[in-house]
Amino acid sequence: MGKIISFVLSVSLIISCCLFATVKTFSQTDESANKVSTTETKKSALFNEGGYVRGITPARAIGLAELLLGILSIVFAIRAKRRSSIAGTKTALILGLLAIVFSIVHFVTTAGAVFGSGSGKAGAILAIMLSLAGIILSGLVLRRKKI
């Protein structure tokens, strides 16, 4: 059980460090064009609501990290099902729940953005669907073990 907790904490730490670094790394906006206020500048720099963008914006990178959590949830659930592992099942369940929570927070922060503006909503939607699949698979394994 200690290995699972340390693994989940280390994955969460790595993802959070990656998310904090994305604003400066993937920024594609022109700071001189957005002189409304500092909060508006930061919001438009993060979600790039100014128009069409190409490449990875910071919000898209956050959506991809959420998508990675959803994929990892499915992978751990499938491995737990094959090996009949309770530890893998709990890990898949935790990763799926984390992906859903992060995706909901992502939706709340990108409430007014449209698809294609670099807001990362598509990645968050896919993350929710994949994490739900991982949670269902891990629930089936737990049900089979009757814990």
Side-chain angles (χ1 to χ4, degrees):
M1 187 69 172
K3 289 182 181 181
I4 295 172
I5 293 173
S6 65
F7 173 74
V8 170
L9 286 176
S10 63
V11 167
S12 300
L13 180 66
I14 290 170
I15 289 174
S16 63
C17 288
C18 291
L19 294 180
F20 289 130
T22 57
V23 175
K24 293 295 181 186
T25 306
F26 298 118
S27 181
Q28 296 182 3
T29 60
D30 184 16
E31 293 295 326
S32 63
N34 299 327
K35 292 290 184 182
V36 178
S37 69
T38 55
T39 58
E40 288 294 323
T41 304
K42 288 180 183 178
K43 183 178 180 187
S44 66
L46 181 61
F47 301 121
N48 202 4
E49 295 171 349
Y52 180 76
V53 294
R54 287 181 285 173
I56 297 179
T57 61
R60 282 182 184 164
I62 293 169
L64 289 174
E66 296 160 356
L67 187 64
L68 178 67
L69 282 176
I71 291 171
L72 284 175
S73 172
I74 289 180
V75 168
F76 276 101
I78 290 172
R79 288 184 66 191
K81 186 175 180 181
R82 287 186 183 164
R83 296 180 181 184
S84 297
S85 170
I86 299 300
T89 305
K90 290 178 182 177
T91 304
L93 190 63
I94 290 171
L95 287 174
L97 290 174
L98 281 174
I100 287 178
V101 168
F102 288 155
S103 295
I104 290 172
V105 170
H106 188 94
F107 279 132
V108 169
T109 57
T110 60
V114 296
F115 283 99
S117 65
S119 63
K121 280 188 173 184
I125 289 171
L126 287 174
I128 286 178
M129 291 190 308
L130 291 176
S131 60
L132 282 175
I135 288 172
I136 290 170
L137 284 173
S138 62
L140 290 174
V141 174
L142 284 176
R143 188 174 186 194
R144 188 174 60 179
K145 285 289 187 177
K146 294 182 182 180
I147 291 179

